[in-house]
Amino acid sequence: SPEDCLIAMMVAVSASDENMRTSELIRIQAQVNHLPVFGIYDADRIEVISRMVLDLFEQEDGLDALFGLVRENLPEKLWETAYAMAVDVAAADGYILDQEARMLEEIRYELNIDRLHAAAIERGARARHTV
């Protein structure tokens, strides 16, 4: 579902450094609990989608498969939303590690996020998560 795709992008950026921090997991849960796009989403699916993403990360072409699934199942109007959510998760602990930055770059590329729009999204996240 589109909601599953949004969860997958958030989990992917969190897992990109091989350390899913508590602050990142809390941010994912908060977004699911409060954003209208998740209004009818079954939050129990977060665990299922997380396992799927982690399983794909273990496969050689898993990242390509993940992006293929997202592009097929997430309407284009939600691509910037997916990027914004991923940036918020990456910034949730107050800093973005190199691996997270590379994953965000990959998401920008795969979801065709305009660089100017991406910069605005990133700046907003920085303002929200600065400690």
Side-chain angles (χ1 to χ4, degrees):
S1 71
E3 297 87 357
D4 289 339
C5 293
L6 296 171
I7 297 292
M9 291 293 88
M10 290 189 286
V11 169
V13 77
S14 178
S16 64
D17 63 353
E18 299 180 3
N19 184 12
M20 296 178 75
R21 290 175 181 71
T22 301
S23 58
E24 295 168 343
L25 298 174
I26 290 170
R27 187 69 194 151
I28 292 169
Q29 189 67 51
Q31 293 194 93
V32 170
N33 289 340
H34 299 300
L35 294 177
V37 72
F38 293 110
I40 59 170
Y41 188 70
D42 178 6
D44 292 336
R45 290 199 42 78
I46 295 172
E47 187 175 336
V48 172
I49 299 304
S50 296
R51 175 59 37 215
M52 180 201 72
V53 170
L54 296 175
D55 288 346
L56 284 172
F57 274 15
E58 292 177 4
Q59 297 177 18
E60 186 174 329
D61 293 328
L63 191 56
D64 290 335
L66 175 63
F67 284 121
L69 288 169
V70 169
R71 281 191 308 273
E72 288 175 21
N73 295 289
L74 184 65
E76 193 171 336
K77 70 179 185 176
L78 292 176
W79 288 6
E80 281 186 354
T81 302
Y83 185 68
M85 290 179 176
V87 170
D88 270 350
V89 169
D93 54 10
Y95 52 91
I96 296 179
L97 299 174
D98 289 342
Q99 300 96 322
E100 293 169 326
R102 282 192 293 279
M103 177 59 75
L104 290 172
E105 182 179 337
E106 189 71 23
I107 293 170
R108 276 194 313 268
Y109 173 77
E110 293 290 340
L111 297 183
N112 198 28
I113 305 297
D114 177 82
R115 187 63 195 126
L116 186 58
H117 294 178
I121 290 168
E122 293 160 10
R123 181 65 192 112
R126 193 174 318 123
R128 284 188 300 281
H129 296 283
T130 297
V131 289

